[in-house]
Amino acid sequence: MNGWIFILVCLAILIWAALCLTYDKRPRFLRPVTAITVLCIWVAALWTLIRRFTEGLGAVTGLNDAAPWGLWIGADVFAGVALAAGGFVLAATVHIFNIKRFEPILRPTVLTAFLGYILVAVALFIDIGRPLSWWHPLVMWQHHSIMFEVTWCVILYSTVLAIEISPVVLERLGLTTLLKLVKMVTIPVVIAGVILSTMHQSSLGSLYLIVPEKLYPLWYSPLLPVFFLMSAVAAGMCVIIVESFFSAKILKRGLESSLMADLGRAASIILFVYITIKFSDLIVRGDWDLILERNLQSNLFLLEMLGGAALPAILLSFRRARNQPRVLLAASVLVMGGVVLNRVNVCWFGMSVSDQLHYIPTWMEISVSLGSITAGTIAFFLAVHYLPVFPKTEEELPEAISPGSNTGLISA
């Protein structure tokens, strides 16, 4: 019962927040307290971190031996890595496939990915039972361990993102020699980034291949690495759309409408393929009838697949819907929510029987997650304000329109 109440409350809050953001209808009583709210979240997160590092995970989390991985791993790490996938997707599009018209949105996308991976690293450090031993994988190699591969890929890809975003800092400081050097190695760095990101996005799914008896059959599959990679690519594209929409709105810029529509169309195609393979896999394995069980897991699976994949895929498949920035935004938010729910389902609900749910996150865990999100958002807009992340003039933005407009120069 507690699990159901938590799910319904979180779902109601997410739907309300998505509608408020999409239609810019934030309640009046929230408008003057934004800074106070963020400050309260940070104070709560700081208090939690002090207790976590002085008293241990048991003092601040709902984790136990039956559920050693909770909100910080499922939402902050697994979902955070997936949502940051736009960085390698767009970098490959611009530098490897040489589709230069996406270049105006490349830097903010890489910045988003870079900040995302920093927050993932912080979440990992917080959640590790012995955080001071974080360096062990660097010197104690375990070649047959998926965790070892994920650790090295995340470290190396974070380094790649730092190199990819470094030109904005070098330009700001006027270090032209270093800037030329970075541009010379851009292509090999991007190729390395694509390889590393593809490896660890799929490897996060591979972590659960060793628990076929524990992970609920609706989520367990030998194709988990493929599912994790495909959903991450779709989510990464949608993150680019959401980030571009709010950047345009807050920074009073034009919205690159045709680029956003093309990303939405590509995300739609990937989602349709993802859904097809997902249900085909269930049928082949003989587990499709579990969808009709009407238990917690089946309901969450239907919510994830219908609300977070099928509905936005259908919306994004229509040119008329992609012509409307707010519809594009709403569909992208649904995809992001679906991927977050998928990762939480795999890490949390899929590992528990509905009447034996051993883990409920505490308010302190939630405060740290919210603190991480707000810190990343503020860091992004500070970087945009002080660094040359976006093109300097509106003329450099192809087919730019107002983010509030319902029309755009969008190709099918």
Side-chain angles (χ1 to χ4, degrees), residues 199-373:
M199 289 172 63
H200 75 258
Q201 291 286 359
S202 58
S203 294
L204 289 175
S206 301
L207 288 173
Y208 285 86
L209 294 179
I210 64 173
V211 288
E213 298 84 8
K214 293 184 179 181
L215 183 57
Y216 200 73
L218 287 175
W219 290 287
Y220 180 82
S221 168
L223 297 178
L224 261 177
V226 177
F227 293 150
F228 265 54
L229 177 59
M230 293 182 66
S231 58
V233 171
M237 293 180 178
C238 291
V239 169
I240 297 172
I241 295 172
V242 173
E243 173 265 310
S244 298
F245 183 93
F246 287 107
S247 296
K249 187 177 183 63
I250 295 173
L251 302 174
K252 309 298 182 184
R253 303 174 55 254
L255 180 67
E256 302 88 344
S257 58
S258 66
L259 303 185
M260 298 302 105
D262 287 343
L263 288 173
R265 185 174 182 233
S268 174
I269 295 172
I270 294 173
L271 286 172
F272 277 125
V273 175
Y274 170 75
I275 294 168
T276 301
I277 298 177
K278 188 87 169 181
F279 281 95
S280 299
D281 176 66
L282 285 174
I283 294 172
V284 170
R285 290 189 291 109
D287 293 322
W288 63 271
D289 55 325
L290 293 176
I291 299 174
L292 306 177
E293 287 291 319
R294 293 186 179 180
N295 56 15
L296 178 63
Q297 278 75 18
S298 65
N299 291 334
L300 285 172
F301 180 81
L302 287 174
L303 178 62
E304 169 196 325
M305 295 304 298
L306 298 180
L311 177 59
I314 293 171
L315 285 174
L316 294 172
S317 66
F318 291 101
R319 181 192 303 180
R320 188 169 183 178
R322 298 195 303 270
N323 278 341
Q324 303 179 47
R326 292 192 185 279
V327 176
L328 193 62
L329 173 66
S332 299
V333 171
L334 286 175
V335 174
M336 292 167 58
V339 170
V340 172
L341 181 58
N342 171 261
R343 301 308 192 257
V344 172
N345 282 337
V346 172
C347 295
W348 177 7
F349 295 108
M351 297 291 287
S352 305
V353 180
S354 60
D355 59 350
Q356 296 178 351
L357 189 60
H358 301 291
Y359 167 75
I360 298 293
T362 65
W363 68 267
M364 290 180 282
E365 290 178 81
I366 296 173
S367 71
V368 171
S369 296
L370 292 177
S372 174
I373 294 171

Side-chain angles (χ1 to χ4, degrees), residues 132-172:
L132 296 181
S133 301
W134 65 268
W135 53 272
H136 282 190
L138 301 180
V139 295
M140 302 177 184
W141 287 27
Q142 300 291 333
H143 304 85
H144 302 291
S145 169
I146 295 177
M147 289 291 288
F148 171 78
E149 186 265 346
V150 170
T151 301
W152 267 98
C153 282
V154 170
I155 292 173
L156 293 175
Y157 184 58
S158 299
T159 305
V160 166
L161 286 171
I163 296 173
E164 289 181 1
I165 199 61
S166 64
V168 301
V169 178
L170 298 177
E171 287 180 15
R172 183 69 176 82

